[in-house]
Amino acid sequence: MFTGNHRNGGATFSNGGNSSSNYSKGSGLYSSSNNGNTNGAKVMTNSSDKQISSSLNSSSKSISSSLKPKPRRSSTASLNNVKSDSGVGGRVRVAVRLRPRNAEESVADSDLPDCVELQPELKRLKLRRNNWDSDTFEFDEVLTEFASQKRVYEVVAKPVVESVLEGYNGTVMAYGQTGTGKTYTLGLLGDEDTSARGIMVRALEDILAEISPDTDSVSVSYLQLYMETIQDLLRPENDNISIVEDPKTGDLSLPGATTVEIKDQKTFIELLRVGEAHRFAANTKLNTESSRSHAILMVHIKRSLKGKDSALSNENGNLSHSSKKLKPIVRRGKFVVVDLAGSERIDKSGSEGHTLEEAKSINLSLSALGKCINALAENSPHVPIRDSKLTRLLRDSFGGSARTSLVITIGPSPRHRGETASTIMFGQRAMKVENMLRIKEEFDYKSLSRRLDIQLDKLIAENERKQKAFQDEIERIAIEAQKHVADIERNYADALEKERLSIERECMDSTEKLQQQLLNVQGKHADGKVGFLLKDDGSDKMPNSEYARLLAELDETKQLLQNETLQRKTAEEEIFNLRNQLAQWKKLEAVKSSEIIKLHKMLEDESQEKEKLEKEIAVLQNQLLEISFEADETRRLDVDESGKLSGDLTSLISQANHPSIKDFEDGEKPSMAKLFEQVGLQKILSLLDAEDADVKIHAAKVVANLAAEESNQEKIVEAGGLTSLLMLIRSCDDETIQRVAAGAIANLAMNETNQELIVSQGGINLLSTAAANANDPQTLRMVAGAIANLCGNDKLRVKLSSEGGIKALLGMVRSRHPDVLAQVARGIANFAKCESRVFTQGNKMGKSLLIEDGGLPWIVQNANNDISSIRRHIELALCHLAQHEANAKDLITAGALWELVRIAQECSRDDVRSLAYKTLTSSSSFLAEVKRQRIDCR
């Protein structure tokens, strides 16, 4: 036996043992109204009971007749069997729960039978009219006084919790007379007995068990609706929270409510305990702790579905599965638990004074809820949703996109039969309400950008690793080739030297032998040892033996010469072979060089791939910025104009933008210049110093529009408008005002005289400070446009650099917004053109101030930008920078030479293409580098 008295006026729920109810199902006392006598005596306590009895009589007959043709569902069916009823897939599900008699009812009504009889196996409830007749009603679930808290949660709330975890919105609500156990069913904490825990505690326990702490989040808000004011139960001082409706989506939000992120069950129970302590309650005749406010628990669930299939809801409400692999998807579900204050009759509750006023407010809000449900059940074209804050908060629960379960709580006492009948009829009407369930899914652009950044970092690290390994391999191959060539040359030289020495030595030996033989012959002739034969004619004659020896020596010498000749030929062949080997090594070196060139090309391809990825990241970040900007713009609320001056100015602007029919008939062109005639420039400029921010914005917009016409610029400057605009940028922190003022200054800066005035009054420093503090792309675009106009003045070139104007212009590229980058590129082109003019006029100047301020890397990087408005300005700036010989070395080092060659070959503009070719062919530095790298710039 479990007994709960949690602000239920002594409501007792039994889980076992003897029931406090004393009726018997076998008794003939509870016969059905369809078979009983409808003409029997009827005892009613008052006139209102008679009306309810008559309405019940007619409604029960219609309900019984409409239910007869329907097939009976099995006894195991419950609220979670939603998909089995194909015709009512999104219908509000209603369960009825009977409270057992409390101690007071057991004494006072001991002789009277219960006014209701439950048939849970048939999901029916019989409401007694009198001792003979009763009305029968069917519900989605019928819970007796013996039903446990766990059973109630499983059939009422668990299907809704499962839907919320899948991305739907869900609502669980309790409705009934005061003291029938609504708070016990929903909000009991179960400190002493865990089996007595209510729906709130059990639902969050299941939610925390299903989510992932790393990627998912759960946050909770706990509110009460008291006397038509929404109060924060977690922060009592926040006692008047407003309801805000998104004009685009129609979703409701409570921006002032405290939201606490939940990580564990203990924290949630502590929050519930704090909230219950701050909830209003009072002692009435029907309940010792009667709730005097509607309690609303909101649980927001955010789940990340990376790499999983997501179910999307189509327009017919059916679920269609589409695979979204590797796309970061976020599902947002909202689970709302509503503990309504009990309806009560003043004569029974005994409310008086402030308690009476509370009862009136409760009954009014419940009446408004009943009217909305009646309208939805009858498909009425008008639903009075704005009659009460309660109906506005529950707009999504009834007739919206949420999955809703309603539990109505009733008591058995026959004294409260009228209230019980009213509660039953409320549940019957709620069962006719249809909701269109929709999953709330969205892409997580921040997660996608973060993941792409991580992938980019990995690719960059991998590319750097490969590049380093590639460089190391190139160095190793080059060292090995040099070493090999050196070895070959050394071996070749050694072989030649050895061969030369050998040949020289052999020649010397042969020469010495011949000389020795010649000396020997000459010596023999001198000594007269050899006899000569005298011929018949008297001449001398050599002996035959000596002559033969000399011939033999001569033959030997010839043989030696032949051998020397052969050896020389052999040496020459060896030299030829060595030369062939050297040629082969040179060919091998050429092959290695071609491989090195291929590797260089691969490195360039890797660099291009890296740049492509960086551009894709930049495009995604730009898209994210645009989406964020559009979201901020849609959330911005229009503020009503206040004050006479603001009203006059707004009306005049409206007249200028939307001229009357009479103006068009007269043929006059509508113009902002009409403000001169109707208001006067001094009055418009005086509004720039107004206290109201909206007035300042309107006035600055008018001045900006007037400054767009050249004829008005001189008048604005003479009247002090330029000084007022600069003071506005200096003194105001509102980014909207700074954006409009910068736009007006940009229009005035189109005039050369005004440009010098802007600089003399410190405009460069003010615009640089505004650029550093601004984050909005539109503000940065206006500031960049103003500085870009100043960059076109030759006289301001040095001041723009010294006062930080160029660095501020380059600093705005952090936005990566295409419009901002286009204005930055225009300013750089104007500044480079000014420097080119100064150089052409023969004035001495050193290196470009653009290069000194660090602008060259960004210029080279964006010279071939995909966006034409950026690329054409950068190409022109690069050509002008290249005309000055002092910049050539920096341009070559930064890789600008290749971009100049590309511009000279591929640029779509003839004048820029000709300028690039002329610059390349007239600069000695560029010509030398082109010749060294063998670049064809034709």
Side-chain angles (χ1 to χ4, degrees):
M1 172 75 72
F2 172 75
T3 303
N5 192 14
H6 189 66
R7 293 214 311 268
N8 289 320
T12 303
F13 290 84
S14 300
N15 289 329
N18 296 326
S19 170
S20 59
S21 176
N22 57 5
Y23 69 86
S24 171
K25 291 183 179 180
S27 173
L29 192 61
Y30 298 100
S31 60
S32 172
S33 62
N34 294 328
N35 299 325
N37 185 4
T38 60
N39 298 321
K42 300 180 181 179
V43 181
M44 296 292 175
T45 57
N46 51 39
S47 60
S48 63
D49 288 343
K50 292 179 181 179
Q51 296 173 1
I52 294 173
S53 177
S54 61
S55 64
L56 285 174
N57 185 16
S58 59
S59 62
S60 64
K61 290 180 180 180
S62 62
I63 292 171
S64 299
S65 61
S66 64
L67 290 174
K68 281 181 181 180
K70 295 182 180 180
R72 299 296 184 189
R73 291 182 293 179
S74 63
S75 59
T76 58
S78 61
L79 281 175
N80 60 355
N81 193 13
V82 175
K83 293 183 179 180
S84 63
D85 296 334
S86 59
V88 289
R91 176 173 62 80
V92 175
R93 316 294 292 179
V94 181
V96 59
R97 187 181 193 186
L98 176 65
R99 170 184 61 78
R101 291 193 179 193
N102 54 33
E104 180 186 355
E105 292 171 348
S106 298
V107 175
D109 302 333
S110 59
D111 296 334
L112 299 175
D114 292 345
C115 67
V116 292
E117 177 186 356
L118 305 185
Q119 295 177 337
E121 65 280 359
L122 299 177
K123 303 189 187 306
R124 284 182 178 178
L125 176 148
K126 290 186 177 181
L127 177 65
R128 178 185 294 277
R129 287 198 233 166
N130 49 44
N131 290 336
W132 299 273
D133 296 333
S134 60
D135 298 311
T136 302
F137 303 93
E138 287 192 0
F139 289 93
D140 295 298
E141 193 67 38
V142 175
L143 302 168
T144 67
E145 64 269 31
F146 304 107
S148 64
Q149 291 281 75
K150 180 180 179 180
R151 168 67 176 165
V152 174
Y153 169 73
E154 288 179 347
V155 300
V156 174
K158 190 169 184 177
V160 179
V161 171
E162 291 173 350
S163 297
V164 171
L165 289 171
E166 292 176 359
Y168 296 94
N169 289 343
T171 303
V172 175
M173 186 173 71
Y175 177 91
Q177 183 189 8
T178 182
T180 54
K182 297 181 297 301
T183 304
Y184 175 87
T185 300
L186 297 180
L188 194 63
L189 300 181
D191 293 333
E192 299 177 357
D193 186 0
T194 57
S195 64
R197 292 173 300 165
I199 286 176
M200 291 182 181
V201 179
R202 294 177 184 271
L204 204 80
E205 183 178 7
D206 283 355
I207 291 172
L208 292 175
E210 289 293 330
I211 67 169
S212 172
D214 298 330
T215 58
D216 305 338
S217 64
V218 178
S219 57
V220 170
S221 298
Y222 200 13
L223 312 168
Q224 68 174 352
L225 180 60
Y226 176 71
M227 302 283 287
E228 280 302 304
T229 60
I230 302 175
Q231 303 178 4
D232 197 335
L233 289 175
L234 302 181
R235 195 173 64 180
E237 63 272 13
N238 191 7
D239 58 358
N240 191 10
I241 300 173
S242 60
I243 302 174
V244 176
E245 182 174 352
D246 191 331
K248 187 175 181 180
T249 62
D251 294 338
L252 298 180
S253 61
L254 304 171
T258 302
T259 302
V260 180
E261 188 169 353
I262 301 298
K263 296 294 185 182
D264 52 55
Q265 186 77 356
K266 182 179 179 182
T267 304
F268 175 66
I269 293 177
E270 290 299 324
L271 289 178
L272 286 183
R273 188 174 284 110
V274 171
E276 288 298 320
H278 295 141
R279 190 176 177 188
F280 288 98
N283 184 9
T284 66
K285 291 181 181 180
L286 298 177
N287 195 343
T288 57
E289 292 186 29
S290 175
S291 301
R292 314 309 291 169
S293 66
H294 307 299
I296 304 169
L297 176 71
M298 293 184 177
V299 182
H300 300 273
I301 303 169
K302 176 184 175 183
R303 303 194 71 186
S304 179
L305 301 178
K306 291 183 179 179
K308 300 180 181 178
D309 292 345
S310 61
L312 298 177
S313 179
N314 59 19
E315 294 181 356
N316 297 327
N318 298 325
L319 295 179
S320 62
H321 294 273
S322 61
S323 179
K324 294 183 178 179
K325 293 184 178 179
L326 301 178
K327 290 185 178 179
I329 299 172
V330 174
R331 284 184 180 173
R332 301 181 185 272
K334 182 172 70 174
F335 179 56
V336 181
V337 182
V338 184
D339 181 11
L340 296 174
S343 60
E344 60 184 53
R345 289 185 177 178
I346 306 303
D347 56 345
K348 292 185 178 181
S349 64
S351 300
E352 58 184 11
H354 185 67
T355 307
L356 177 60
E357 296 300 322
E358 292 175 339
K360 290 180 180 179
S361 177
I362 292 170
N363 288 338
L364 283 174
S365 60
L366 293 177
S367 175
L369 178 61
K371 291 178 181 178
C372 290
I373 290 179
N374 287 342
L376 290 169
E378 296 171 359
N379 292 323
S380 174
H382 172 66
V383 180
I385 202 72
R386 294 187 174 273
D387 287 359
S388 170
K389 288 186 177 180
L390 177 63
T391 54
R392 291 187 68 190
L393 290 172
L394 297 179
R395 186 179 68 178
D396 194 43
S397 303
F398 292 97
S401 61
R403 173 159 286 167
T404 302
S405 286
L406 171 66
V407 55
I408 58 173
T409 57
I410 58 176
S413 175
R415 290 181 296 150
H416 304 305
R417 182 187 178 282
E419 290 83 350
T420 301
S422 176
T423 300
I424 291 172
M425 293 306 300
F426 181 88
Q428 288 288 301
R429 287 189 292 269
M431 288 176 67
K432 299 179 181 179
V433 177
E434 292 281 346
N435 292 349
M436 296 298 295
L437 310 181
R438 293 185 181 89
I439 288 181
K440 295 188 69 176
E441 280 188 353
E442 60 187 29
F443 290 111
D444 192 354
Y445 290 100
K446 292 183 179 179
S447 175
L448 177 60
S449 177
R450 187 163 53 250
R451 190 179 68 184
L452 289 176
D453 286 339
I454 293 173
Q455 290 180 355
L456 179 61
D457 292 339
K458 288 181 180 179
L459 288 174
I460 291 173
E462 180 68 17
N463 185 44
E464 290 176 351
R465 185 187 65 78
K466 289 182 178 180
Q467 188 173 0
K468 186 177 182 303
F470 172 69
Q471 293 291 345
D472 294 342
E473 183 67 16
I474 290 176
E475 291 177 1
R476 185 185 65 79
I477 293 173
I479 292 172
E480 288 183 357
Q482 291 175 0
K483 184 177 179 182
H484 200 58
V485 170
D487 290 342
I488 292 172
E489 291 178 348
R490 185 171 57 255
N491 294 336
Y492 176 68
D494 292 344
L496 287 177
E497 184 66 22
K498 288 179 181 179
E499 188 65 25
R500 186 183 65 79
L501 292 175
S502 175
I503 292 171
E504 286 181 355
R505 187 166 52 253
E506 291 176 356
C507 289
M508 290 177 66
D509 292 344
S510 299
T511 304
E512 288 177 358
K513 288 180 180 180
L514 290 174
Q515 289 177 353
Q516 185 65 34
Q517 290 176 0
L518 182 60
L519 289 174
N520 291 337
V521 171
Q522 290 177 354
K524 290 179 180 180
H525 281 290
D527 293 339
K529 293 180 179 181
V530 180
F532 290 92
L533 298 174
L534 191 61
K535 296 183 180 180
D536 296 337
D537 54 2
S539 60
D540 293 334
K541 194 173 183 180
M542 184 179 292
N544 292 329
S545 60
E546 185 66 24
Y547 181 76
R549 187 179 62 80
L550 289 175
L551 289 176
E553 287 178 355
L554 183 60
D555 292 335
E556 185 180 355
T557 302
K558 287 181 178 180
Q559 186 64 36
L560 288 172
L561 288 175
Q562 288 177 357
N563 292 338
E564 291 292 336
T565 303
L566 290 175
Q567 289 178 358
R568 186 173 185 84
K569 287 182 179 179
T570 303
E572 288 176 353
E573 288 177 357
E574 278 192 63
I575 291 171
F576 180 77
N577 292 333
L578 290 173
R579 286 177 178 174
N580 288 337
Q581 290 181 4
L582 181 60
Q584 290 178 357
W585 281 113
K586 288 183 177 179
K587 289 181 180 179
L588 182 61
E589 184 180 2
V591 172
K592 294 293 184 182
S593 300
S594 64
E595 290 180 356
I596 291 172
I597 293 173
K598 288 181 180 179
L599 291 174
H600 274 296
K601 187 174 181 181
M602 291 174 59
L603 181 60
E604 291 177 358
D605 293 339
E606 289 287 341
S607 301
Q608 292 177 358
E609 187 67 22
K610 174 185 172 183
E611 292 176 359
K612 184 178 179 181
L613 289 173
E614 289 176 346
K615 289 178 181 178
E616 290 178 356
I617 293 298
V619 170
L620 288 174
Q621 290 178 345
N622 288 336
Q623 291 177 355
L624 180 60
L625 286 173
E626 291 173 359
I627 292 170
S628 301
F629 178 74
E630 290 175 0
D632 293 338
E633 288 295 331
T634 55
R635 286 196 297 268
R636 188 169 296 152
L637 299 177
D638 294 330
V639 183
D640 294 337
E641 289 82 6
S642 59
K644 180 179 179 181
L645 293 177
S646 176
D648 294 341
L649 182 61
T650 304
S651 63
L652 290 172
I653 295 171
S654 177
Q655 293 174 12
N657 291 331
H658 304 285
S660 62
I661 298 175
K662 183 179 179 181
D663 292 338
F664 281 105
E665 291 175 353
D666 296 338
E668 297 178 2
K669 183 180 179 182
S671 172
M672 292 298 294
K674 289 186 178 181
L675 292 172
F676 286 106
E677 302 172 2
Q678 300 180 20
V679 179
L681 183 59
Q682 288 294 341
K683 187 173 181 180
I684 295 173
L685 295 177
S686 66
L687 295 177
L688 295 174
D689 299 326
E691 295 292 332
D692 194 329
D694 289 337
V695 175
K696 288 182 179 180
I697 293 172
H698 284 301
K701 286 181 178 179
V702 172
V703 175
N705 288 329
L706 292 173
E709 298 180 12
E710 189 176 356
S711 59
N712 299 332
Q713 293 180 358
E714 185 177 356
K715 297 177 183 178
I716 294 173
V717 174
E718 289 177 355
L722 176 59
T723 304
S724 299
L725 289 171
L726 292 173
M727 183 63 66
L728 204 61
I729 293 180
R730 179 184 290 109
S731 61
C732 188
D733 295 331
D734 191 314
E735 193 165 344
T736 303
I737 295 177
Q738 288 194 350
R739 177 171 68 249
V740 179
I745 292 173
N747 288 339
L748 292 174
M750 292 187 293
N751 183 284
E752 186 175 353
T753 305
N754 296 341
Q755 292 172 357
E756 297 177 1
L757 289 175
I758 292 171
V759 174
S760 64
Q761 296 184 24
I764 295 177
N765 290 327
L766 290 176
L767 292 172
S768 300
T769 303
N773 296 332
N775 292 317
D776 180 52
Q778 299 305 318
T779 303
L780 292 173
R781 181 173 69 88
M782 293 298 181
V783 176
I787 297 177
N789 289 339
L790 296 176
C791 288
N793 194 322
D794 299 351
K795 302 175 183 178
L796 307 179
R797 180 176 60 86
V798 178
K799 276 196 172 185
L800 275 169
S801 177
S802 61
E803 293 183 11
I806 299 301
K807 290 183 178 179
L809 189 66
L810 293 170
M812 283 184 278
V813 302
R814 69 181 185 276
S815 169
R816 297 188 178 182
H817 194 280
D819 294 341
V820 179
L821 297 181
Q823 293 298 327
V824 173
R826 185 172 68 86
I828 289 174
N830 289 343
F831 195 89
K833 192 184 297 182
C834 285
E835 288 189 327
S836 177
R837 283 198 298 267
V838 172
F839 174 74
T840 306
Q841 292 169 2
N843 297 324
K844 293 183 179 180
M845 58 177 289
K847 188 188 299 184
S848 170
L849 297 177
L850 269 177
I851 297 177
E852 290 183 352
D853 287 342
L856 185 57
W858 188 83
I859 293 174
V860 175
Q861 181 182 356
N862 289 272
N864 196 17
N865 197 291
D866 293 336
I867 301 174
S868 60
S869 59
I870 300 173
R871 183 177 63 253
R872 60 187 177 88
H873 288 306
I874 296 299
E875 288 177 345
L876 185 61
L878 200 57
C879 291
H880 284 299
L881 286 175
Q883 289 184 340
H884 189 21
E885 188 68 19
N887 301 331
K889 184 177 179 181
D890 293 299
L891 289 171
I892 293 171
T893 304
L897 177 61
W898 292 97
E899 293 300 332
L900 285 170
V901 173
R902 181 191 59 78
I903 294 170
Q905 294 174 346
E906 302 175 1
C907 183
S908 58
R909 294 177 56 183
D910 294 337
D911 55 340
V912 178
R913 189 168 64 251
S914 299
L915 182 61
Y917 181 77
K918 179 181 177 182
T919 303
L920 286 172
T921 55
S922 62
S923 171
S924 59
S925 300
F926 288 147
L927 285 174
E929 187 66 15
V930 166
K931 184 176 180 181
R932 189 183 70 83
Q933 297 191 20
R934 297 179 181 177
I935 301 173
D936 185 9
C937 59
R938 290 178 295 178

